[in-house]
Amino acid sequence: GAVVSQHPSRVICKSGTSVKIECRSLDFQATTMFWYRQFPKQSLMLMATSNEGSKATYEQGVEKDKFLINHASLTLSTLTVTSAHPEDSSFYICSARAFVGNTGELFFGEGSRLTVL
Amino acid sequence: GDSVTQMEGPVTLSEEAFLTINCTYTATGYPSLFWYVQYPGEGLQLLLKATKADDKGSNKGFEATYRKETTSFHLEKGSVQVSDSAVYFCALRGNTPLVFGKGTRLSVIA
């Protein structure tokens, strides 16, 4: 199947710094990518929908100034956690939709674990 | 809104045991239903899916049947292996990209 890659897989940062997470579709073009956040023992929560060349659409309760999303090309979306705090520590997962025939299956990245000290 | 409820884990089984992970959903219209699996240290992978009532999705020995009358999509496997140890997520896609259940951790011991 299609491959989605995230980088970095793990990152530790100090409180107040910003962290950028990249999500790349390696063998297909993705006009739409999705960013999820996974808390321990919790479900994946959709944070935002990233559309190539336009502003991201954020879910209710997600601070768009806190979680900056840029989808500058058909193969790359970035999530920047600005002025990170310990409560931002989480597992962030991106996904991209690859169209095979008439179906649009979602493929997920490996996830990025952020720890804010 | 749309939601998914799946049984809480962790579930611990011996190798070759029968597995059932319950999943029920609430949605308007006719959503597509999915099971995703997350192996240790890896991202989510689609395990199987069903797009309409009475469809049965199957893959790697796992099966799930889309039951509209009971709004359920239970995951089953007749004989689990140690390599099946992972977290399993039930999900639906209605008018939103995907709505996930909380996940069920399965541990299979030899």
Side-chain angles (χ1 to χ4, degrees), chain A residues 10 27 34 37-38 58 63 82 89 99 111:
Chain A
R10 293 179 183 271
D27 50 2
F34 305 93
R37 181 172 180 179
Q38 184 180 20
Y58 290 82
E63 299 177 59
T82 62
S89 299
F99 284 89

Side-chain angles (χ1 to χ4, degrees), chain A residues 62-112:
Chain A
V62 178
E63 299 177 59
K64 61 181 181 181
D65 295 329
K66 173 76 169 176
F67 299 100
L68 300 179
I69 291 173
N70 184 281
H71 194 156
S73 78
L74 288 172
T75 59
L76 174 65
S77 175
T78 60
L79 168 68
T80 301
V81 183
T82 62
S83 187
H85 288 91
E87 58 265 30
D88 299 325
S89 299
S90 192
F91 196 58
Y92 294 88
I93 302 176
C94 74
S95 68
R97 193 182 304 280
F99 284 89
V100 179
N102 292 324
T103 63
E105 183 175 335
L106 276 183
F107 293 89
F108 287 81
E110 312 94 322
S112 300

Side-chain angles (χ1 to χ4, degrees), chain A residues 13-70:
Chain A
C13 70
K14 293 182 179 180
S15 185
T17 61
S18 295
V19 175
K20 180 185 286 188
I21 301 170
E22 295 184 345
C23 177
R24 294 182 184 273
S25 56
L26 298 186
D27 50 2
F28 66 100
Q29 294 183 330
T31 55
T32 303
M33 292 184 175
F34 305 93
W35 286 96
Y36 291 84
R37 181 172 180 179
Q38 184 180 20
F39 294 96
K41 299 183 180 181
Q42 296 288 325
S43 177
L44 281 77
M45 302 300 296
L46 179 65
M47 298 175 65
T49 301
S50 170
N51 301 296
E52 187 268 336
S54 64
K55 292 182 178 180
T57 303
Y58 290 82
E59 296 300 302
Q60 190 173 8
V62 178
E63 299 177 59
K64 61 181 181 181
D65 295 329
K66 173 76 169 176
F67 299 100
L68 300 179
I69 291 173
N70 184 281

Side-chain angles (χ1 to χ4, degrees), chain B residues 5-97:
Chain B
T5 303
Q6 62 182 103
M7 63 185 290
E8 293 190 20
V11 174
T12 302
L13 295 174
S14 298
E15 208 166 22
E16 299 184 1
F18 184 85
L19 168 72
T20 300
I21 300 178
N22 291 337
C23 171
T24 56
Y25 68 90
T26 302
T28 55
Y30 303 94
S32 296
L33 301 174
F34 306 82
W35 276 100
Y36 282 85
V37 58
Q38 186 177 28
Y39 296 104
E42 299 183 16
L44 274 74
Q45 302 174 26
L46 178 63
L47 180 60
L48 54 84
K49 66 180 181 182
T51 58
K52 61 183 187 295
D54 299 326
D55 267 3
K56 177 185 285 187
S58 61
N59 185 25
K60 299 182 181 179
F62 291 89
E63 292 183 340
T65 301
Y66 190 142
R67 301 286 188 198
K68 187 166 177 59
E69 63 276 15
T70 54
T71 61
S72 65
F73 192 54
H74 304 323
L75 181 68
E76 296 182 336
K77 185 173 185 180
S79 176
V80 294
Q81 304 300 313
V82 173
S83 57
D84 294 326
S85 298
V87 181
Y88 293 82
F89 291 90
C90 185
L92 72 81
R93 185 172 68 215
N95 297 320
T96 54

